[in-house]
Amino acid sequence: MTELVIYRGLPNSGKSTHARNWVSSDPSLRARINRDDMRASIHGGYHKDAERAVVAVRDAAISTLLRRGVSVACDDTNLPQRTVRELARLAVLAGADIRVEDMTDVSVEECIRRDGLPCYRGEVPVGEAVIRGMYDRFLKGKEYPLPLP
């Protein structure tokens, strides 16, 4: 059965590493979709005014792949409940199963430490302030795993 795997976690929690490993175990029937990669491809990076277009491309890619029988890993941060609901809706419409990989148990300190390591793909570090801000907004005081919408 085709599935959509929704990764949830702070930047540098290991979502993309897990997603890449999952895809590499069956690349003909699995794909990875990530908004950061799409932003870089479409606009050369983040532009606030272009984010709706990036989300539209993400959703179209996920829907098309699922309908063609390819399982998809979406390894964005996916911390807002609304985002998980929207992604789950795409899976339901495509007749795919949904699995959530919650990586919010990786500490904010570890994510910040990893952010300072040399980037193996030439990425720009996210920055401590951004990581702490996401932690405060989405994870602080919440139980693990995050509740599903």
Side-chain angles (χ1 to χ4, degrees):
M1 179 72 167
T2 306
E3 71 176 330
L4 173 60
V5 183
I6 302 168
Y7 286 85
R8 299 181 92 178
L10 292 171
N12 304 306
S13 61
K15 301 176 306 294
S16 295
T17 299
H18 280 260
R20 285 186 187 99
N21 290 337
W22 181 76
V23 169
S24 71
S25 69
D26 193 358
S28 63
L29 293 175
R30 294 179 178 175
R32 176 181 158 269
I33 299 294
N34 179 284
R35 285 193 345 252
D36 290 337
D37 295 343
M38 292 180 170
R39 285 182 197 110
S41 177
I42 297 169
H43 303 291
Y46 179 78
H47 297 281
K48 183 179 180 181
D49 296 337
E51 197 59 18
R52 284 187 183 172
V54 171
V55 170
V57 170
R58 176 203 66 192
D59 292 354
I62 290 172
S63 295
T64 299
L65 288 164
L66 291 174
R67 286 192 173 111
R68 291 181 180 232
V70 176
S71 292
V72 176
C74 180
D75 62 336
D76 301 326
T77 59
N78 296 319
L79 293 173
Q81 295 288 76
R82 178 190 81 254
T83 302
V84 175
R85 276 194 306 272
E86 291 168 357
L87 290 169
R89 182 178 164 274
L90 297 175
V92 168
L93 291 173
D97 289 338
I98 304 159
R99 178 164 49 102
V100 175
E101 291 290 333
D102 191 314
M103 301 179 75
T104 59
D105 59 333
V106 179
S107 73
V108 66
E109 291 79 16
E110 177 62 13
C111 293
I112 291 166
R113 184 191 73 77
R114 291 176 184 176
D115 197 48
L117 297 175
C119 298
Y120 63 92
R121 290 186 306 155
E123 295 175 350
V124 175
V126 175
E128 181 176 349
V130 171
I131 295 170
R132 286 197 187 280
M134 287 181 152
Y135 172 80
D136 289 345
R137 185 170 174 202
F138 297 110
L139 301 179
K140 190 174 185 178
K142 304 234 170 95
E143 293 185 27
Y144 172 83
L146 285 180
L148 297 176

